[in-house]
Amino acid sequence: MPSKRAEIRIIDSTILSDDWYSLKKYTFELQRQKGEWQRQSREVYDRGNGATILLYNRERKTVILTRQFRFPVFMSGHDGYLIEAAAGLLDNMDPESRIKAEAEEETGFQVSHVEKVFEAYMSPGSVTEKLYFYIAEYDAGDKVSAGGGIEAEGEDIEVLEMPLDAALAAVKSGLIVDGKTIMLLYHVALKGILNPS
């Protein structure tokens, strides 16, 4: 199916917040499928694009995940500690370079070869962020530090190594509820990446 570009006329934009990232309110007109124009308004949060990676070990059938505190999910009634694949904002770097650096910062594993598997908008109704999804094989020799993130940025990350089957069971039980992580775990399972070739 070919892509289709929206016909939009932006009428107005207002900055609602420009503290850490920017939150704007837009008023625009959208041409509907039958040709008429409809006025709408939306708030848009722009925090830049990011990348995420799932490290896996074929021999051990394990994956490397992280556990860290996430204030917004705490405010939604969760206990606050999410189990996730390593991830971070691009911060003006290309996605592959950024995710290699992020994997090392968060998990302590230095991977030289990463495989891009797809791109996705995670919350397209209100957030501009596009995530670049990667996987990479690791072994014990790739561990160059304890990981844990950057303390000055408020990171206090626990590194978890678990069997893929246990991670998939944690998705089913509701222990793993992070969208990007679920997508990467299911990708690895669906493609049979940890199965003997």
Side-chain angles (χ1 to χ4, degrees):
M1 175 186 313
S3 63
K4 176 182 176 182
R5 182 164 175 81
E7 292 295 328
I8 293 283
R9 299 189 293 226
I10 295 177
I11 308 300
D12 186 45
S13 69
T14 305
I15 296 174
L16 302 178
S17 175
D18 195 14
D19 186 11
W20 199 12
Y21 303 109
S22 90
L23 176 63
K24 293 182 180 179
K25 181 175 181 180
Y26 289 92
T27 301
F28 61 93
E29 291 181 341
L30 169 67
Q31 189 173 33
R32 296 175 58 86
Q33 293 182 50
K34 293 183 179 177
E36 73 275 14
W37 290 86
Q38 181 182 44
R39 186 167 287 206
Q40 300 181 15
S41 64
R42 296 287 185 274
E43 292 180 5
V44 177
Y45 188 51
D46 185 357
R47 60 187 305 262
N49 294 330
T52 184
I53 190 165
L54 183 65
L55 304 179
Y56 64 89
N57 182 288
R58 273 195 181 95
E59 184 179 340
R60 297 174 50 140
K61 299 193 181 312
T62 53
V63 293
I64 299 294
L65 298 171
T66 65
R67 181 170 21 220
Q68 62 182 308
F69 178 71
R70 298 295 197 181
F71 183 70
V73 300
F74 179 79
M75 294 305 294
S76 288
H78 188 273
D79 65 22
Y81 284 95
L82 286 189
I83 297 174
E84 307 176 44
L89 294 176
L90 299 185
D91 292 332
N92 299 314
M93 290 177 72
D94 66 276
E96 184 173 318
S97 299
R98 182 68 237 150
I99 202 55
K100 287 178 181 178
E102 199 68 35
E104 186 174 340
E105 286 173 16
E106 291 194 5
T107 71
F109 285 91
Q110 187 177 67
V111 291
S112 56
H113 174 73
V114 298
E115 177 188 346
K116 181 181 169 193
V117 291
F118 49 82
E119 301 171 10
Y121 290 96
M122 299 303 292
S123 199
S126 58
V127 181
T128 61
E129 179 186 36
K130 176 168 59 173
L131 274 184
Y132 297 83
F133 288 74
Y134 291 87
I135 57 175
E137 192 161 9
Y138 76 92
D139 61 41
D142 296 327
K143 187 82 167 166
V144 296
S145 75
I150 300 172
E151 186 176 345
E153 294 179 2
E155 294 179 325
D156 184 20
I157 298 170
E158 180 184 357
V159 181
L160 308 172
E161 182 176 38
M162 64 174 59
L164 176 62
D165 288 346
L168 294 170
V171 172
K172 187 174 182 179
S173 73
L175 181 62
I176 294 178
V177 294
D178 175 64
K180 67 184 179 298
T181 305
I182 294 169
M183 292 166 73
L184 282 170
L185 289 169
Y186 280 0
H187 173 81
V188 167
L190 181 67
K191 296 294 185 180
I193 290 169
L194 299 192
N195 296 338
S197 41

